[in-house]
Amino acid sequence: MKLLKYCPSCGKESLHWDGEKKWSCPNCGFTLYNNVAGAVAVIIRHGDDIYLTRRNRDPKKGKLDLAGGFVDPGESAEEACKRELFEELQLDVDISKLKYLTSLPNVYQYKEIDYNTIDLFYEYRVAEKFEVNLELSEISEAIWIPLRELNTEDIAFDSQKKFFKDYLNK
């Protein structure tokens, strides 16, 4: 992980990373915690088919991904699902039809910094398959895949790989 060196409080090159969750400055006592961030992932399902996106940027560019993203301050996980599905797929979802499934820890590396996340997984069933017009830069493709044909090695993030291994066994 890329380490921060300069204390934002006293400006000295004295920040110390404890290797797990916090930076501290022995000169002025400043502490910065790297707390766990909330993230959501939604499995959109029609029968035995699921809708996945292909990442168009790092991390994990070219890998398959569930629609979702980070929970914003002041937002519930369900509101984040609704916002992210609209931003990524222009899909307007009914929050009351989101089904919470499980949570898993994950590490999201962005620009050499590791962000520890708690990924909250939801399922959203649709009455019919749909296609989206992808004009956004985050996604290069969105595809329906039969569950039985899903290869978890094609999935971008470790938490989603673990999720699908459990999900496919049910």
Side-chain angles (χ1 to χ4, degrees), residues 89-152:
L89 304 173
Q90 301 300 302
L91 184 63
D92 190 17
V93 302
D94 179 350
I95 287 179
S96 70
K97 294 183 180 177
L98 284 166
K99 178 183 174 187
Y100 171 77
L101 300 175
T102 192
S103 66
L104 292 168
N106 194 31
V107 177
Y108 184 86
Q109 189 178 66
Y110 182 70
K111 295 188 177 181
E112 300 180 58
I113 295 178
D114 292 341
Y115 295 90
N116 291 292
T117 66
I118 185 68
D119 294 351
L120 307 170
F121 290 86
Y122 289 84
E123 182 181 70
Y124 191 76
R125 293 189 179 253
V126 294
E128 56 188 46
K129 288 184 180 181
F130 59 89
E131 298 298 327
V132 297
N133 183 9
L134 295 174
E135 295 179 7
L136 303 173
S137 61
E138 290 183 20
I139 299 169
S140 63
E141 179 182 32
I143 53 174
W144 287 99
I145 298 177
L147 274 171
R148 68 186 174 284
E149 293 177 17
L150 181 64
N151 179 355
T152 56

Side-chain angles (χ1 to χ4, degrees), residues 7-81:
C7 176
S9 181
C10 69
K12 294 184 180 172
E13 189 177 348
S14 57
L15 273 187
H16 169 74
W17 171 245
D18 72 357
E20 183 181 356
K21 66 179 182 177
K22 72 177 178 179
W23 288 271
S24 57
C25 177
N27 291 317
C28 70
F30 175 81
T31 302
L32 174 66
Y33 289 94
N34 185 13
N35 291 319
V36 173
V40 295
V42 182
I43 182 166
I44 300 169
R45 188 163 174 176
H46 174 73
D48 289 332
D49 293 341
I50 58 172
Y51 202 57
L52 295 173
T53 63
R54 189 168 308 278
R55 297 184 62 80
N56 198 30
R57 63 169 70 156
D58 284 324
K60 311 289 185 176
K61 183 176 180 177
K63 292 285 195 172
L64 293 174
D65 195 6
L66 289 169
F70 287 102
V71 179
D72 285 344
E75 185 177 56
S76 72
E78 293 77 13
E79 290 167 337
C81 290

